[in-house]
Amino acid sequence: MTGRDRLELLSAALDGELDEADRARLDALLESPGNASEVKAGLERVDALLRSAPVLDPPETLKSRIMEEAGRRRKVSAQPPGTSWWRQLFPGAGIRYAVAASAGAVVAAVIINGEDQVIGPISATDVTGTLAPESEGPRSNIVDSYEFSRDGTESLIQLRLADDVPYLDINSDAAGRLDISVDLQGTGLEPNAITHIEGRSRSIALADQKILLSAEGRQRTSIMLRNSDGAQRTDGSSIALEVSSDGKLLEQGTIAGNW
Amino acid sequence: METLVEALQKPVYNSVYRMLGNAEEAADVTQTTFLKVFENIQRFNPKYRLFSWTYRIAVNEAIDRLKEREWTRPLKGTPAANDSPADATAASQLSRELQSTLMKLSDEHRAVIVLRYFGDRNYREIGLILDIPEKTVKSRLFSARQQLKSLLEKHGVHSS
């Protein structure tokens, strides 16, 4: 038994996890010269502090939230086979509302870490591909776009209107990591839902009037926008874009036009 | 199911809160935990007690949430940890120093402390929940307590 093993007995004693033999070893340790008593006293102080920590009450609504959500999921799973998972999740919505990440005052963040993180009920591997095929979407009119080049490849950020609904498309392609920031302040718009994910976005974060996307390699993301409650468009305002890598600002641009 | 939630929501919520240090996230993770329990009950491994199995899911969810934090950068308008009314209430109920000190431990050390003190699990159960040998539980608890002792002393926090 090493010195540390013996000291661990002091800790285990607090938890009532000693057998007869261990108890005898502990008694011998405490009677022997050394700092065992000091260590024991320190551990006991920590133990007392942890035991004195108050027990918190969960939010009053937590149980009802859990039961309501469980009930909703039971109904969804009872739908006929073949119903797409996104339609199950959003039964009243069209396909372009498939991955709805609502963004209000509170952040909605979708993390797509490589291939093994989960987004909704399926893995990001499944997400790679087309969730909202263009053929199923309405015809789009491009309002404005911003293009930039990195590592010899072209990237594009564009605003388009489809049935008068604004969408922001971020199509980037770069060997290294790109952090793309889209600032909607003053535009009267805010992010509504992620409608298309293709390729390898590392993370997408939607906040009130801001979108942050980190990507590596080739990816396409479309985000449906909506009019922001109580936020009017400021005259002459435009969507501000910043592209950086490793904290270094590479590009600054704007998207303007009528929407 | 309702009985299960009634019986376990408090200890699970408390353990998750101590893992995350944020009341709103703790409520979210607790909800996710129970939904996963309901959805996977047919896959329940009888080697665990239901209580321990629920904890296993809760701890894994909490650790996943901590990893997500590393991915998600704070944005303008994002509520900061311990900023919400729920957090304010929570913060008024527990020692802020203790919680902030717990947050300084590694996830694996915090997990054993949380399961021991806030989940009231013994070594065997902690080992099952975290999938580590009992000997490792014992060793981690000792290390975690030693670290807590040093950190608390550094911040002038003592129990009497």
Side-chain angles (χ1 to χ4, degrees):
Chain A
M1 192 174 235
T2 65
R4 182 184 161 97
D5 288 338
R6 277 192 283 274
L7 290 176
E8 284 178 5
L9 292 174
L10 296 167
S11 176
L14 295 172
D15 302 315
E17 295 271 355
L18 297 185
D19 57 24
E20 283 297 317
D22 282 341
R23 255 192 294 276
R25 284 191 198 101
L26 179 63
D27 289 343
L29 175 68
L30 289 171
E31 285 165 15
S32 66
N35 65 345
S37 297
E38 193 185 319
V39 174
K40 178 173 178 272
L43 292 173
E44 283 172 346
R45 280 198 298 276
V46 172
D47 182 65
L49 193 64
L50 285 162
R51 287 184 196 284
S52 70
V55 177
L56 308 178
D57 286 324
E60 284 180 15
T61 56
L62 182 60
K63 191 181 109 185
S64 58
R65 266 171 54 187
I66 293 168
M67 299 316 296
E68 276 170 25
E69 181 61 17
R72 194 188 68 78
R73 291 189 182 192
R74 267 200 309 275
K75 279 184 199 158
V76 166
S77 64
Q79 289 199 7
T83 309
S84 303
W85 66 266
W86 54 83
R87 289 194 193 282
Q88 290 178 18
L89 281 176
F90 310 102
I95 191 168
R96 65 183 184 278
Y97 298 88
V99 183
S102 313
V106 179
V107 169
V110 177
I111 306 298
I112 310 159
N113 171 14
E115 294 180 345
D116 55 3
Q117 290 285 319
V118 171
I119 173 174
I122 58 172
S123 75
T125 310
D126 301 321
V127 170
T128 303
T130 304
L131 280 176
E134 294 298 328
S135 57
E136 291 203 36
R139 207 171 168 77
S140 298
N141 295 315
I142 309 298
V143 176
D144 193 15
S145 62
Y146 179 82
E147 292 175 35
F148 62 95
S149 174
R150 181 79 182 149
D151 302 328
T153 55
E154 299 296 322
S155 295
L156 170 79
I157 302 171
Q158 68 178 20
L159 182 71
R160 65 185 161 88
L161 293 175
D163 279 354
D164 291 330
V165 177
Y167 288 80
L168 190 78
D169 300 322
I170 304 175
N171 303 335
S172 63
D173 191 359
R177 175 174 170 161
L178 285 183
D179 295 314
I180 298 170
S181 163
V182 179
D183 190 347
L184 298 166
Q185 288 186 51
T187 63
L189 297 172
E190 65 181 10
N192 183 12
I194 298 168
T195 57
H196 184 106
I197 300 171
E198 191 177 331
R200 296 235 181 136
S201 309
R202 288 167 61 103
S203 70
I204 307 167
L206 308 182
D208 52 332
Q209 302 204 287
K210 201 146 191 179
I211 298 164
L212 290 181
L213 183 145
S214 292
E216 201 160 342
R218 191 172 184 178
Q219 69 80 36
R220 290 183 61 200
T221 302
S222 293
I223 297 149
M224 185 197 297
L225 308 176
R226 67 180 170 196
N227 291 322
S228 176
D229 287 342
Q232 296 291 321
R233 186 179 180 190
T234 312
D235 284 347
S237 66
S238 54
I239 298 170
L241 309 170
E242 281 187 2
V243 180
S244 56
S245 182
D246 293 327
K248 188 181 163 193
L249 184 65
L250 304 175
E251 298 277 339
Q252 262 184 316
T254 56
I255 288 178
N258 295 317
W259 52 80
Chain B
M1 286 198 318
E2 202 163 345
T3 312
L4 182 75
V5 177
E6 254 170 36
L8 299 187
Q9 67 162 342
K10 196 164 182 173
V12 168
Y13 172 81
N14 271 270
S15 298
V16 172
Y17 177 82
R18 287 334 198 278
M19 282 297 291
L20 298 173
N22 180 295
E24 285 182 11
E25 281 189 292
D28 283 347
V29 168
T30 303
Q31 175 171 334
T32 306
T33 298
F34 282 108
L35 292 172
K36 287 202 169 178
V37 168
F38 299 158
E39 286 166 6
N40 295 288
I41 196 79
Q42 72 278 11
R43 283 189 259 167
F44 171 56
N45 185 339
K47 116 175 153 174
Y48 305 107
R49 290 164 59 194
L50 188 58
F51 198 71
S52 298
W53 185 59
T54 306
Y55 263 107
R56 185 184 175 88
I57 294 173
V59 169
N60 286 335
E61 285 295 316
I63 289 173
D64 283 351
R65 184 63 69 105
L66 290 165
K67 284 180 187 161
E68 278 182 18
R69 280 186 189 169
E70 291 167 19
W71 278 95
T72 314
R73 291 172 296 165
L75 300 175
K76 193 179 174 185
T78 307
N82 296 320
D83 221 7
S84 68
D87 278 316
T89 306
S92 69
Q93 291 180 40
L94 82 153
S95 155
R96 288 182 186 218
E97 292 89 352
L98 176 60
Q99 185 58 40
S100 85
T101 308
L102 278 175
M103 297 310 292
K104 291 190 174 90
L105 295 179
S106 68
D107 294 349
E108 61 184 27
H109 281 133
R110 190 159 64 257
V112 290
I113 288 284
V114 161
L115 288 169
R116 180 72 201 105
Y117 286 96
F118 303 104
D120 200 23
R121 302 296 89 199
N122 62 32
Y123 285 12
R124 192 184 71 81
E125 288 168 321
I126 296 172
L128 277 174
I129 291 166
L130 299 177
D131 204 17
I132 54 176
E134 279 182 52
K135 191 176 181 326
T136 308
V137 174
K138 184 167 135 186
S139 177
R140 278 190 195 171
L141 265 170
F142 173 68
S143 297
R145 282 170 169 146
Q146 287 283 69
Q147 284 175 41
L148 277 174
K149 175 179 163 289
S150 302
L151 288 164
L152 290 166
E153 282 173 356
K154 198 172 156 187
H155 291 96
V157 181
H158 302 279
S159 68
S160 51

